[in-house]
Amino acid sequence: MQVLKHKIRAEGKVLSDTVLKVDSFLNHQIDPQLMKEIGQEFAELFREEGITKIITIESSGIAPATMAGLIMDIPVVFARKRKSLTLSKNLYSASVYSFTKKETSEISVSGDFIQPDDVVLIIDDFLANGQAVLGLIDIIEQAGARLSGVGIVIEKGFQNGGELLRKQGIRVESLAIVSSLENGKVVFTEEEQA
Ligand code: 5GP
């Protein structure tokens, strides 16, 4: 998605050879116009799949997931990272190791919002080692729902999450795939540049 790649080039900050900061439009301040275009792209990509629900993780997946949900006219559920007192019964949970925070956290979704007849699209901001997506897949399986695919805003192709998921036959659509962050420079994969 060219507009996204231009934005990453213009505003992304390479924090190390493995971490990209996009706080000015996705992870802190949000660019609603760009999020709308991202939502439209996901809606178009997964149009034929009969999706009934989008699942993401708080907090950075919520903006792109909500825009996709608006256009697809389906609800969006976000897994919570902290257990709230009001979220105690009928809960699906999974452990997720965070690449950026270097800690494991428990994510949870209420059974009220995911049903066995749901066809689910996972949306998240970044794909690194795939741990967040695997946690969400675990929850979808616990609920007996069906995973349709995964929509990612920025995939870091030099980490193994994309390969791990695609090898399992899971459809993963990433709007920008970064092949390298070395020497402070963002490089996108060739097919993505076409
Ligand atoms: P994974 O679970 O695939 O290893 O990592 C994905 C999660 O970690 C995303 O939900 C995202 O919040 C965070 N993450 C991973 N890599 C980056 C990165 O380079 N930049 C930012 N901002 N977040 C990242």
Side-chain angles (χ1 to χ4, degrees):
M1 194 183 172
Q2 288 307 332
V3 63
L4 172 64
K5 282 187 272 184
H6 286 146
K7 192 80 167 175
I8 295 169
R9 281 222 172 84
E11 297 184 19
K13 298 204 165 50
V14 178
L15 292 193
S16 69
D17 283 358
T18 55
V19 179
L20 175 66
K21 186 169 167 172
V22 288
D23 274 15
S24 69
F25 61 93
L26 181 59
N27 290 143
H28 193 10
Q29 175 171 260
I30 287 169
D31 179 336
Q33 186 59 43
L34 179 64
M35 290 306 123
K36 185 177 161 200
E37 289 174 51
I38 285 171
Q40 279 163 340
E41 193 76 15
F42 284 136
E44 181 62 30
L45 284 165
F46 290 97
R47 187 160 51 104
E48 310 285 351
E49 303 290 332
I51 291 159
T52 61
K53 195 152 284 186
I54 294 173
I55 294 200
T56 187
I57 300 196
E58 69 175 348
S59 51
S60 296
I62 295 176
T66 303
M67 287 303 187
L70 180 68
I71 292 151
M72 296 168 89
D73 196 21
I74 52 174
V76 178
V77 180
F78 63 89
R80 300 184 109 156
K81 286 182 177 156
R82 276 167 300 272
K83 275 201 182 121
S84 107
L85 284 176
T86 56
L87 193 77
S88 54
K89 278 184 279 173
N90 187 21
L91 211 61
Y92 301 117
S93 298
S95 289
V96 170
Y97 178 77
S98 164
F99 170 74
T100 42
K101 298 200 181 99
K102 309 277 178 235
E103 61 184 33
T104 301
S105 64
E106 186 95 337
I107 61 164
S108 314
V109 172
S110 164
D112 290 346
F113 303 124
I114 176 166
Q115 315 293 338
D117 58 355
D118 274 322
V119 180
V120 181
L121 170 63
I122 291 174
I123 287 184
D124 205 6
D125 58 339
F126 273 89
L127 179 63
N129 293 316
Q131 296 305 299
V133 170
L134 287 174
L136 291 174
I137 292 174
D138 188 351
I139 284 174
I140 292 164
E141 283 172 354
Q142 288 174 48
R146 182 162 75 78
L147 174 70
S148 173
V150 179
I152 297 292
V153 180
I154 305 170
E155 174 177 345
K156 291 184 293 178
F158 54 86
Q159 292 180 281
N160 69 357
E163 196 193 345
L164 192 81
L165 297 169
R166 291 183 182 102
K167 260 202 329 224
Q168 294 180 40
I170 296 167
R171 181 178 174 200
V172 181
E173 297 284 356
S174 299
L175 303 187
I177 303 181
V178 173
S179 59
S180 164
L181 292 173
E182 280 167 27
N183 305 316
K185 195 170 168 281
V186 183
V187 179
F188 295 102
T189 57
E190 257 163 24
E191 67 264 44
E192 280 295 297
Q193 278 167 351

